[in-house]
Amino acid sequence: MSNSPKKTVWSLQDNKRTEDQRNAFKPTGKKPKNKMFQYILVALLVLFVLSFLLLQIYEETLETCITDTFCINSKENVLLYTVYIFSNILIVVLSIVGAYAIGKKLATFIKV
């Protein structure tokens, strides 16, 4: 018999897990699904809802003329005016993303 103390096993579950439970988190070999499309769709939906809520918060009637003969009103054409606000916000966001991408390419071009 040895006089060494018993080795302490550090387990939160005292080895109560089965073999299937131990193998549950092993890699399966499948590639993870690309969820970028879902993220973009959800972001666009949130932006559209935000555009609608901005229109509801502002109490005054707004009128915008797209052309000389086609004008939209924020009280009569709620959905159309929401699309107008959404498109304006989208243009601003896409221009910021485009400026970031161009700046990043310029930075790598100048660095080299």
Side-chain angles (χ1 to χ4, degrees):
M1 291 227 188
S2 71
N3 291 334
S4 63
K6 184 179 176 184
K7 183 178 177 183
T8 305
V9 177
W10 295 102
S11 173
L12 296 175
Q13 299 161 344
D14 293 329
N15 290 328
K16 293 179 182 176
R17 294 189 298 171
T18 64
E19 192 66 32
D20 290 335
Q21 290 172 337
R22 288 188 184 124
N23 293 334
F25 296 104
K26 287 190 177 178
T28 59
K30 295 180 184 176
K31 290 187 177 182
K33 292 182 181 177
N34 190 0
K35 295 187 178 184
M36 184 63 81
F37 181 71
Q38 290 176 347
Y39 294 150
I40 291 174
L41 217 57
V42 168
L44 290 176
L45 182 68
V46 167
L47 198 62
F48 189 78
V49 170
L50 181 70
S51 301
F52 180 74
L53 291 176
L54 283 172
L55 188 60
Q56 298 303 316
I57 290 171
Y58 199 71
E59 295 174 356
E60 294 180 23
T61 302
L62 302 170
E63 186 172 341
T64 302
C65 291
I66 309 293
T67 63
D68 292 338
T69 58
F70 183 67
C71 294
I72 54 175
N73 190 338
S74 65
K75 296 297 177 190
E76 295 172 8
N77 310 96
V78 176
L79 187 63
L80 202 57
Y81 210 85
T82 303
V83 170
Y84 174 72
I85 294 172
F86 171 75
S87 62
N88 283 329
I89 293 174
L90 196 64
I91 288 170
V92 170
V93 169
L94 289 177
S95 63
I96 291 171
V97 169
Y100 173 77
I102 291 171
K104 193 172 181 180
K105 289 201 184 265
L106 277 174
T108 56
F109 179 71
I110 292 172
K111 189 187 287 187
V112 173

